[in-house]
Amino acid sequence: MRQTAAGPAAYWAPGTPILWRYRENGGAKFHIVRPVTVVRDDADLLAVWLAPGTECVKPALADGTPVHREPLESRYTKPRTVRRDRWLGTGVLKLAQPGVPWSVWLFWEPGWRFKNWYVNLEEPLVRWAGGVDSEDHFLDIDVRPDRSWHWRDEDEFAQAQRDGLMPPETAERVRAAGRAALESIAAWGPPFSEGWPAWRPDESWAVPSLPEGWDRTPAHVSS
């Protein structure tokens, strides 16, 4: 994997492969790791492309049960591990504004018919030489092409609080971030207004690979 320095005053060039990672909730290890390709990176926005078929790291229950099939009451308390898997279906375009506690993802149906926006509430991204890191906050917002919206995963958000993965003060901060995201949706400013549904990846880009050391903690990071 080609490493490119990135800090407060440095940006990745389009086509650069980086990692988009999430730490486990209530822990320090990384349990979601996705190799992506930089589309745009500047003072206003980081845009990356998660290509179909990309090898990723995802959480899994130690007994082999897929996480989404485990009853909600025990989903976050059973022993976990991680496993490698391929990103199935169409690719995902991820957009993140510096310092903002959510990222905006775009999904398409086969044939590039735009499906929806997805607002993923999370810690603001932290940059390091090989990519960006965050922690997912469970609660999300689905935004349709007609700009209508609805909350996603409110049950998981509530269960995470019951299981001690999110203290009350963090939960309130996440709710506040969600309300701010809804204001952004209502205003329909960037990145919603920037024409991203018409974007297409460069055909010359190779699918980035999952490198050795995908789980390492950077010696130095900068936001």
Side-chain angles (χ1 to χ4, degrees):
M1 176 180 175
R2 179 161 57 96
Q3 300 287 326
T4 304
Y11 302 105
W12 291 295
T16 302
I18 65 171
L19 296 180
W20 186 294
R21 309 191 299 185
Y22 290 100
R23 293 181 304 276
E24 61 187 356
N25 300 96
K29 295 180 179 180
F30 295 101
H31 70 154
I32 297 174
V33 181
R34 296 166 179 164
V36 295
T37 301
V38 173
V39 174
R40 169 185 158 188
D41 186 30
D42 54 38
D44 299 316
L45 188 76
L46 171 64
V48 303
W49 171 241
L50 174 58
T54 301
E55 185 180 26
C56 303
V57 171
K58 60 188 285 187
L61 297 182
D63 65 5
T65 303
V67 171
H68 69 278
R69 294 184 180 176
E70 179 67 24
L72 189 61
E73 293 74 15
S74 53
R75 187 174 301 172
Y76 302 122
T77 55
K78 277 194 171 182
R80 286 196 174 199
T81 184
V82 296
R83 67 182 181 90
R84 295 178 181 229
D85 202 356
R86 297 282 175 180
W87 185 267
L88 301 178
T90 59
V92 181
L93 181 65
K94 298 187 176 189
L95 312 174
Q97 297 168 303
V100 174
W102 65 79
S103 56
V104 179
W105 304 0
L106 283 77
F107 291 86
W108 287 266
E109 301 283 5
W112 287 103
R113 185 172 68 85
F114 182 60
K115 182 181 178 183
N116 67 289
W117 311 79
Y118 187 87
V119 178
N120 195 75
L121 298 174
E122 59 191 36
E123 286 294 319
L125 297 181
V126 174
R127 300 169 66 102
W128 57 287
V132 292
D133 296 341
S134 182
E135 181 176 323
D136 183 74
H137 283 158
F138 300 97
L139 191 62
D140 308 296
I141 306 169
D142 184 85
V143 185
R144 311 305 298 178
D146 65 2
R147 305 187 187 184
S148 63
W149 61 270
H150 66 269
W151 293 106
R152 290 282 301 270
D153 303 323
E154 289 185 284
D155 56 345
E156 295 185 358
F157 181 65
Q159 188 65 45
Q161 294 172 68
R162 288 193 290 270
D163 290 336
L165 296 179
M166 181 175 290
E169 58 272 20
T170 301
E172 180 49 43
R173 180 162 52 86
V174 174
R175 280 291 189 188
R179 292 190 292 269
L182 292 179
E183 292 178 1
S184 178
I185 293 166
W188 209 253
F192 300 102
S193 61
E194 296 182 320
W196 288 107
W199 174 87
R200 301 292 182 266
D202 189 321
E203 294 182 357
S204 69
W205 289 345
V207 176
S209 59
L210 186 66
E212 295 297 325
W214 55 262
D215 57 345
R216 72 183 180 91
T217 301
H220 172 73
V221 295
S222 57
S223 58

